[in-house]
Amino acid sequence: MRVRLKGDAICTLFLLVVLCSLLYFQLEHLVPVGNKELTQKKPSITSKTFSDSRAPWRLMPAEATEPRLQVTPVLRQREVANKRVQTTTLSPLSDSAFNFKGYLLNKDNRNFDLLINQPKKCRRTPGGPFLLIAIKSVVEDFDRREIVRKTWGREGLVNGEQIERVFLLGTPKNRTVLATWETLIHQESQMYRDILLWDFMDTFFNLTLKEIHFLNWAAEFCHNVKFIFKGDADVFVNVENIIDFLERHDPTEDLFVGDIIYNARPIRVRKSKYYIPETMYGLSIYPAYAGGGGFLLSSHTMRKLSRACKEVELFPIDDVFLGMCLQRINLKPILHEGFKTFGIVKPSAAPHLQTFDPCFYKDLMVVHSLKVAEIWLMWNLLHSPRLSCTQKKQVKKPFQWKKKAQTTMQASPLR
Ligand SMILES: *[C@@H]1O[C@H](CO)[C@@H](O)[C@H](O)[C@H]1NC(C)=O
Ligand SMILES: *[C@@H]1O[C@H](CO)[C@@H](O)[C@H](O)[C@H]1NC(C)=O
């Protein structure tokens, strides 16, 4: 009896020792790998993804999608989440690391529902409106839309031509915001009848979807429009100048005008917001495309582009994507001096002279990157009856900031 008990105990003890040593070796084998992954991956995540707050997108290297990285998922996720909160407050554009692989895999998923439509937008005027102003916006930017409505984006007659306006929106990327904004955006749409909302996430890299969906919408619901201006909500647009320019053109002919960028090279620096790997775009030069501030097109070109873009593969940079559509219909976009994609405001050089001199804006069509208050103030200054800009000398190229001498010359008409 005693012997048997002893034997059992020894047996159990032996088994325990074997089990423990097995466990020990398992752990010893696992732990260093985990640590290695951690120490190797951590710096690369921080440096690639978040070191530059303006360019937080990151290429997902092929290895990053491999399952062995799952060793420390919790830590990584939390770290990424923490960093993301920081960057979102710095830059509204920075959402998440951009996953090129995922983008390529989902590229064919390019038809999304229209959640809010304005089907009668272009039926109010017999013969159709002269100009449709289409503005890219995000649901959260109510104040920007409001300022545009009250300034350059006004509907109605301008210089005798009928103007209509729509805002182009996707669903907010922050789903908590969506819950409250859904009712608000419907209210806003009821009130102004200028909201177009599609069922795709409103991210920087989905702007191409916005482009495609807007062109399709215009071809279907606004085919009788004569011209379209499509732009951002942070621009100042001199609508009078645009009308003046467009009245000299034929809406049944091709027209595509803007701040055209020629021979731009794809950015191969991974840290950049505009980084494009060779696998996504192999050529060394992009087709000519219009810079983001805004561009004009005729009704004829709108219909052609809407068809052409359906045949072009999705590309994450919307401006370049439209350039590819233009290339497909063999249409050469026209560069116009009046479009200033990157703004004319140089804070370092005599800001008191430049920023709020309405005479600067008088000869321009589109100026990019303005704050809400600046748009409001500029529009009001430009429409003030007391504004007089002596234009005895028409300067041919008025806005070249390379030479200091021209700065002072430009400031003189104000007085
Ligand atoms: C989403 O919006 C809510 C409410 O405004 C905010 O509290 C939350 O931090 C936001 N989340 C992200 C990830 O930005
Ligand atoms: C674009 O929107 C779709 C649909 O909401 C979403 O699944 C996808 O992740 C978005 N893509 C990007 C690059 O943001």
Side-chain angles (χ1 to χ4, degrees), residues 35 52 63 102 137 159 178 242 244 269 323 332 340 342 345 350:
N35 280 346
D52 181 358
E63 60 198 284
S137 182
N159 290 0
L178 180 67
I242 282 185
D244 187 55
V269 181
K332 297 252 180 304
K340 301 288 162 188
F342 299 108
V345 182

Side-chain angles (χ1 to χ4, degrees), residues 88 174 176-177:
T88 31
N174 184 339
T176 24
V177 162

Side-chain angles (χ1 to χ4, degrees), residues 98 112 200-201 203 205-206:
F98 187 55
F112 293 89
F200 56 78
M201 214 194 288
T203 60
F205 289 108
N206 264 345

Side-chain angles (χ1 to χ4, degrees), residues 307-368:
R307 282 191 298 269
C309 287
K310 287 190 180 115
E311 290 151 17
V312 176
E313 283 202 63
L314 283 195
F315 189 76
I317 304 173
D318 62 332
D319 304 345
V320 176
F321 173 79
L322 201 63
M324 292 169 175
C325 304
L326 285 168
Q327 194 178 42
R328 200 173 174 89
I329 57 171
N330 261 322
L331 180 62
K332 297 252 180 304
I334 301 162
L335 173 71
H336 193 288
E337 280 280 306
F339 287 78
K340 301 288 162 188
T341 303
F342 299 108
I344 54 164
V345 182
K346 288 271 163 71
S348 56
H352 57 292
L353 289 177
Q354 295 159 28
T355 317
F356 288 114
D357 180 354
C359 292
F360 284 149
Y361 290 71
K362 218 169 149 51
D363 298 323
L364 292 175
M365 292 204 193
V366 179
V367 182
H368 203 212

Side-chain angles (χ1 to χ4, degrees), residues 130-138 148 152-153 163-170 196 198 200 202-204 206-219 222 225-239 242 245-246 255-260 289-299 301-302 305-306 309 315-323 325-326 339-341 365-368:
F130 180 77
L131 179 68
L132 174 72
I133 296 176
I135 306 140
K136 288 186 274 184
S137 182
V138 290
V148 169
W152 59 266
I163 315 292
E164 300 288 344
R165 170 195 67 231
V166 282
F167 288 101
L168 316 175
L169 307 172
L196 295 179
W198 284 279
F200 56 78
D202 215 336
T203 60
F204 176 78
N206 264 345
L207 285 176
T208 301
L209 288 177
K210 218 176 245 191
E211 196 78 65
I212 297 172
H213 285 83
F214 167 66
L215 285 170
N216 289 345
W217 179 87
C222 204
V225 73
K226 297 200 172 54
F227 299 98
I228 292 174
F229 169 80
K230 181 166 178 284
D232 291 338
D234 65 342
V235 299
F236 180 82
V237 181
N238 193 325
V239 177
I242 282 185
F245 172 82
L246 290 174
L255 178 76
F256 191 99
V257 185
D259 180 15
I260 309 302
Y289 66 91
F295 52 83
L296 290 169
L297 67 163
S298 68
S299 190
T301 300
M302 173 266 286
L305 274 180
S306 128
C309 287
F315 189 76
I317 304 173
D318 62 332
D319 304 345
V320 176
F321 173 79
L322 201 63
C325 304
L326 285 168
F339 287 78
K340 301 288 162 188
T341 303
M365 292 204 193
V366 179
V367 182
H368 203 212

